[in-house]
């Protein structure tokens, strides 16, 4: 081989090795932990959030505001957002390998970024900013460089929300993608929950779900099931230096060694609406703040159900004894395994629970039903109650659906009792909106209860009993036709509001939806719309949705038209002792909420850009330049979403 050929061969080999090194380098280099604080996770990927899943890591700052945030890798800052809500102040960094790192809830930016942001905000004349930087504007940063400071912008507790997104923009589980966090602690399985999935399903002889705690030793008594029953798992992961209950990375369900279901918190697109409501038992999360993950398909498969061909429903098991195996894993492969014996009843044993029919008198002759509760379960209803005077052994039932005045056959009932409390499961037809009347007979006496229900499904419209409230479901907005309650009542009016008409209830907030339905509540004759808003009653609070009497509603529940009659309150002002001070003003509103776009502040007559911090009930600002010594005046004017206004002026001195 000639000298020239040898040189060309060496050059080709070098170039080939260089290409391999450059293509593998970013992935092999790994990421660094982004906070100047001991590594600690307060919330991880997949954890339950109302209406969505948490798709990143919350990294704990131990209540320290202003903890330095460092770039996890070399790259460029290509997008910057500032908002009072959502992620607050947030940076988007393109990493060397094409992925994106997201740093949210920042208290502030590094000086070279802050200068560009402030310049942009002054040019736009406002705080809100969503700036996608072009190639000339993009800010290069190196791994380990300070790019910001952790805070609580857009939220209530100081921490860093951190995400890794793939090249396509889908959020990835950072703990599966190079994020450095040591972990040798296995997950904890606290309990299983066995859930009847049809009106003739039973768990330990009852139509109600049953929670089975998992003791430290792991020994669990056999659970008796019949019909279509689903298993839910309350399991938590633990991380070093964190006392928070985190979501497990994976859950596996097996019966007699056969895979039945797998749930895996992995990549999911933002377009998959309500994935948390399909993964978690949202009713239990709303009512008891316990987070059970469904190990069965509620409707179709989601990105968290892998593989997608497993249904998880235990309706194909032969009568007799079986064994359930539950495995919980974290991202590092630490695992916990629990064995639970079950016994499957025959269909004949379930049929024996059909109650006796009772006559259905036109009027009730007594009042003995107590503590009546009705729960709608998509295809059937469960009425729970007690009987005055104690246990009733000779209890009978009848039910009618009106219209059309059709009597439900007793074969469509299941009755069980747990102590003094009775449970009656009734299979309700889903072909119309109607009223269900259940008659209970005890020893020749009769009492009844009436429940109005509706069938929620895509491309339909539901109306309140008085016709004034209308809930419209767009096409492809529901996963399936679903029974929901529908009622009207006098609203519980807070001190800051005046009610306009009734409160209207459509279903419950835990029902998953694909798209938002649209609600309209018609104004009573002669009522003006000034100051009116449509509100949702949830967790003991009225939440403002929209001005006026129409709104796209984020969840089902109870709504009312309220008039906000109380102005916001402008509280005290705090000024730092500095020539260029941070100035904070506390503001509150108990009703529709302060609109950040309607805050007007002038310092010595010159308009200022202010950062509204709703969770802290304050706004803050910092003058663009140092203030001259002497007295200065700050003028504040703001309004809430209903148009109620407040004004106040402050004076303060700047010393030499």
């Amino acid at each position: 081989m000639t000298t020239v050929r040898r040189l060309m061969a060496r050059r080709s080999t070098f170039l080939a090795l260089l290409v391999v090194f450059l293509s593998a380098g970013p992935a092999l280099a790994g990421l660094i932990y982004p906070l100047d604080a001991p590594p600690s996770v307060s919330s991880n990927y997949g954890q339950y959030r109302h209406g969505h899943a948490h798709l990143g890591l919350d990294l704990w700052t131990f209540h320290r505001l202003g903890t330095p945030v460092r770039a996890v890798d070399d790259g460029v800052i290509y997008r910057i957002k500032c908002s009072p809500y959502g992620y607050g102040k947030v940076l988007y960094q393109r990493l060397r390998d094409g992925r994106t790192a997201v740093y949210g809830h920042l208290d502030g930016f590094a000086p070279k970024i802050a200068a560009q942001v402030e310049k942009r905000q002054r040019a736009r004349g406002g705080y809100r900013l969503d700036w996608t930087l072009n190639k000339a504007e993009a800010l290069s940063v190196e791994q380990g460089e300070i790019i910001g400071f952790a805070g609580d912008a857009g939220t209530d507790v100081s921490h860093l929300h951190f995400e890794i997104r793939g090249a396509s923009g889908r959020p990835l589980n950072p703990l599966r993608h190079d994020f450095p966090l040591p972990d040798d602690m296995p997950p904890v399985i606290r309990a299983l929950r066995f859930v009847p999935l049809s009106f003739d399903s039973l768990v330990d002889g009852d139509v109600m779900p049953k929670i089975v705690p998992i003791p430290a030793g792991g020994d669990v008594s056999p659970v008796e099931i019949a019909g279509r029953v689903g298993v839910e798992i309350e399991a938590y992961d633990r991380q070093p230096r964190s006392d928070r209950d985190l979501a497990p990375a994976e859950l596996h369900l097996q019966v007699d060694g056969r895979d039945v279901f797998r749930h895996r918190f992995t990549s999911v697109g933002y377009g998959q609406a309500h994935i948390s409501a399909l993964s978690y038992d949202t009713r239990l999360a709303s009512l008891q703040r316990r987070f059970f993950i469904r190990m069965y398909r509620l409707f179709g498969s989601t990105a968290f159900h892998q593989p997608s061909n497993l249904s998880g429903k235990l309706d194909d098991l032969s009568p007799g004894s079986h064994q359930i195996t539950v495995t919980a894993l974290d991202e590092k492969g630490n695992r916990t395994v629990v064995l639970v014996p079950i016994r499957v009843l025959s269909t004949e044993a379930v049929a024996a629970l059909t109650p006796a029919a009772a006559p259905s008198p036109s009027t009730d002759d007594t009042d003995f039903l107590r503590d009546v509760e009705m729960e709608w379960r998509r295809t059937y209803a469960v009425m729970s109650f007690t009987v005055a005077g104690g246990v009733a052994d000779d209890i009978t039932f009848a039910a009618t659906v009106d219209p059309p005045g059709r009597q439900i056959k007793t074969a469509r009932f299941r009755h069980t009792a747990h102590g003094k409390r009775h449970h009656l499961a009734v299979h309700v037809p889903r072909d119309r909106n109607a009223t269900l009347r259940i008659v209970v007979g005890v020893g020749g006496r009769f009492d009844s209860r009436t429940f109005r229900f509706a069938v929620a499904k895509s491309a339909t419209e539901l109306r309140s009993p008085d016709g004034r409230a209308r809930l419209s479901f767009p096409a492809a907005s529901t996963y399936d036709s679903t029974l929901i309650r529908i009622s009207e009542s006098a609203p519980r009016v807070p001190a800051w509001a005046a009610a306009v008409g009734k409160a209207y209830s459509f279903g419950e907030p835990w029902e998953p939806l694909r798209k938002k339905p649209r609600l309209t509540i018609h104004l009573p004759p002669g009522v003006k719309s000034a100051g009116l808003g449509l509100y949702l009653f949830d967790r003991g609070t009225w939440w403002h949705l929209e001005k006026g009497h129409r709104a796209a509603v984020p969840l089902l529940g109870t709504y009312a038209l309220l008039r906000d009659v109380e102005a916001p309150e402008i509280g005290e002002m705090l000024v730092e002792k500095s020539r260029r001070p941070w100035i904070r003003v506390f503001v509150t509103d108990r009703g529709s909420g302060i609109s950040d776009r309607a805050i007007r502040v002038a310092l010595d007559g010159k308009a200022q850009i202010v950062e509204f911090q709703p969770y802290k009930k304050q706004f803050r600002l910092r003058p663009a330049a140092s203030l001259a010594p002497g007295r200065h005046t700050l003028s504040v004017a703001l309004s809430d979403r209903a148009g109620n206004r407040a004004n106040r002026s402050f004076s303060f001195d700047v010393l030499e």
Side-chain angles (χ1 to χ4, degrees):
M1 182 180 294
T2 66
T3 303
V4 173
R5 286 182 177 177
R6 289 192 187 98
L7 290 173
M8 291 182 63
R10 289 174 182 173
R11 182 171 180 269
S12 298
T13 302
F14 171 76
L15 289 174
L17 290 172
L18 180 63
V19 168
V20 171
F21 173 78
L22 290 176
S23 62
L28 294 175
L31 308 179
I32 66 168
Y33 191 76
L35 280 178
D36 280 4
S40 179
V41 176
S42 58
S43 183
N44 66 338
Y45 192 95
Q47 277 194 289
Y48 175 79
R49 294 291 187 272
H50 195 72
H52 67 280
H54 189 249
L55 297 181
L57 300 177
D58 285 348
L59 305 179
W60 193 231
T61 63
F62 303 92
H63 298 288
R64 180 185 169 193
L65 198 67
T67 301
V69 175
R70 298 182 181 274
V72 295
D73 195 5
D74 296 348
V76 294
I77 303 298
Y78 73 92
R79 186 183 180 192
I80 306 171
K81 288 186 68 175
C82 297
S83 170
Y85 310 103
Y87 290 166
K89 291 190 177 87
V90 55
L91 293 173
Y92 297 79
Q93 180 196 4
R94 187 80 69 203
L95 305 180
R96 287 181 293 168
D97 60 4
R99 296 179 299 173
T100 294
V102 182
Y103 310 83
H105 302 310
L106 300 175
D107 184 61
F109 303 115
K112 75 175 184 181
I113 301 173
Q116 296 297 320
V117 169
E118 290 172 9
K119 180 180 178 181
R120 192 87 173 183
Q121 288 172 328
R122 286 195 296 270
R124 294 171 58 86
Y127 169 76
R128 287 194 185 220
L129 182 67
D130 188 354
W131 179 20
T132 299
L133 289 68
N134 59 38
K135 288 185 178 180
E137 297 168 328
L139 301 169
S140 296
V141 294
E142 296 180 353
Q143 186 180 63
E145 179 181 344
I146 294 176
I147 57 176
F149 305 93
D152 52 13
T155 187
D156 55 348
V157 178
S158 176
H159 68 277
L160 175 68
H161 176 84
F162 179 79
E163 292 181 16
I164 290 290
R165 299 180 184 178
S168 65
R170 288 169 65 93
L172 309 173
N173 186 339
L175 296 180
R176 296 184 185 274
H177 292 83
D178 306 330
F179 190 80
L181 195 72
D183 182 8
D184 58 0
M185 302 174 68
V188 176
I189 301 176
R190 290 186 180 168
L192 303 187
R193 188 169 183 258
F194 291 81
V195 183
L197 299 178
S198 66
F199 87 102
D200 56 357
S201 301
L202 298 174
V203 177
D204 277 350
D206 201 350
V207 298
M208 303 298 287
K210 179 176 182 178
I211 293 177
V212 179
I214 304 299
D219 293 331
V220 181
S221 299
V223 179
E224 195 174 70
I225 67 172
R228 296 178 61 210
V229 173
V231 176
E232 300 174 355
I233 302 174
E234 185 182 34
Y236 298 97
D237 189 27
R238 291 292 191 179
Q239 294 277 355
R241 288 182 292 273
S242 175
D243 59 356
R244 302 297 183 95
D245 290 334
L246 307 174
E250 293 186 40
L251 293 173
H252 299 177
L253 179 66
Q254 293 181 313
V255 177
D256 300 333
R258 172 176 59 92
D259 283 340
V260 174
F261 202 76
R262 290 193 176 192
H263 192 287
R264 186 171 185 260
F265 285 122
T266 185
S267 174
V268 60
Y270 286 108
Q272 192 158 30
H274 290 273
I275 192 169
S276 67
L278 301 178
S279 293
Y280 288 87
D281 190 311
T282 46
R283 178 185 178 90
L284 209 64
S286 296
L287 296 179
Q288 298 187 22
R289 302 299 296 171
R290 296 187 67 174
F291 302 101
F292 283 80
I293 296 175
R294 292 188 179 98
M295 297 301 289
Y296 56 91
R297 291 203 309 256
L298 186 62
F299 299 112
S301 293
T302 75
F304 292 160
H305 299 162
Q306 299 181 6
S308 60
N309 63 324
L310 300 177
S311 71
K313 294 173 183 176
L314 310 181
D315 55 359
D316 59 351
L317 301 178
S318 60
S321 297
H322 300 269
Q323 181 171 269
I324 287 178
T325 304
V326 176
T327 305
L329 302 96
D330 64 17
E331 288 83 0
K332 300 297 184 181
N334 301 306
R335 67 179 59 208
T336 298
V337 180
V338 169
L339 306 179
V340 179
I342 62 172
R343 285 197 297 266
V344 178
L345 291 180
S346 65
T347 54
E348 292 76 13
V350 178
L353 293 170
T354 302
S360 183
S362 57
T363 59
D364 304 332
D365 61 358
T366 188
D367 179 15
F368 56 79
L369 295 178
R370 299 287 185 271
D371 305 318
V372 177
E373 296 178 357
M374 175 59 86
E375 179 183 332
W376 300 97
R377 295 189 183 172
R378 298 190 176 86
T379 62
Y380 67 106
V382 178
M383 186 177 84
S384 301
F385 59 93
T386 59
V387 175
V391 178
D393 295 327
D394 56 347
I395 195 165
T396 58
F397 301 93
T400 56
V401 174
D402 185 39
R406 181 170 61 190
Q407 186 158 349
I408 298 177
K409 297 179 180 179
T410 55
R412 312 302 277 173
F413 287 86
R414 290 295 179 266
H415 168 238
T416 59
H418 188 73
K420 295 182 178 181
R421 192 151 188 85
H422 295 264
H423 308 296
L424 181 69
V426 185
H427 189 276
V428 181
R430 290 188 293 166
D431 55 356
R432 60 179 52 82
N433 304 334
T435 299
L436 173 66
R437 181 172 181 257
I438 298 177
V439 179
V440 180
V442 176
R445 301 176 298 150
F446 299 98
D447 195 2
S448 68
R449 290 292 185 272
T450 300
F451 308 93
R452 186 178 177 87
F453 68 91
V455 182
K457 56 184 177 181
S458 299
T460 61
E461 182 177 277
L462 303 181
R463 291 181 179 269
S464 60
D466 65 3
R468 288 197 172 277
R470 184 174 72 247
L471 189 63
S472 302
F473 291 86
S477 59
T478 63
Y479 290 95
D480 191 11
S481 58
T482 301
L483 295 172
I484 63 171
R485 67 185 176 93
I486 179 169
S487 62
E488 55 191 38
S489 60
R492 290 184 282 174
V493 183
W496 51 264
V500 179
K502 302 175 182 177
Y504 299 96
S505 296
F506 294 91
E508 301 292 353
W510 43 79
E511 184 63 37
L513 300 170
R514 291 181 185 270
K515 299 178 183 177
K516 295 179 180 180
R518 188 156 189 85
L519 177 68
T520 301
I521 300 180
H522 294 285
L523 295 175
V527 175
K528 296 182 179 180
S529 61
L532 279 183
L534 205 154
Y535 290 77
L536 165 70
F537 188 75
D538 185 47
R539 289 166 286 177
T541 301
W542 287 103
W543 302 90
H544 182 268
L545 297 177
E546 292 286 349
K547 292 174 61 176
H549 65 286
R550 294 185 177 91
V553 298
L555 46 87
L556 299 181
T558 298
Y559 317 93
L561 283 177
L562 301 178
R563 191 187 308 278
D564 184 350
V565 297
E566 185 177 88
E569 181 180 346
I570 302 175
E572 66 175 326
M573 176 185 68
L574 299 178
V575 182
E576 289 181 341
K577 293 180 179 180
S578 167
R579 293 287 298 275
R580 188 175 174 232
W582 277 107
I583 303 172
R584 290 174 169 80
V585 178
F586 291 90
V587 292
T588 57
D589 185 80
R590 300 193 300 171
S592 55
I594 294 171
S595 170
D596 70 290
R597 300 180 188 275
I599 300 176
R600 299 288 182 266
V601 177
L603 179 60
D604 299 330
K606 186 176 181 180
Q608 300 293 305
I609 294 174
V610 300
E611 177 187 353
F612 181 45
Q613 298 176 313
Y615 284 96
K616 290 185 175 181
K617 299 180 180 179
Q618 70 176 23
F619 66 79
R620 68 177 184 173
L621 63 105
R622 196 178 190 194
S626 297
L627 300 179
R631 175 143 294 203
H632 298 270
T633 300
L634 189 80
S635 300
V636 179
L638 53 82
S639 66
D640 61 21
R641 292 183 177 91
N644 300 304
R645 299 182 179 278
N647 300 272
R648 187 171 177 182
S649 293
F650 302 90
S651 295
F652 64 96
D653 294 318
V654 174
L655 303 178
E656 292 283 356

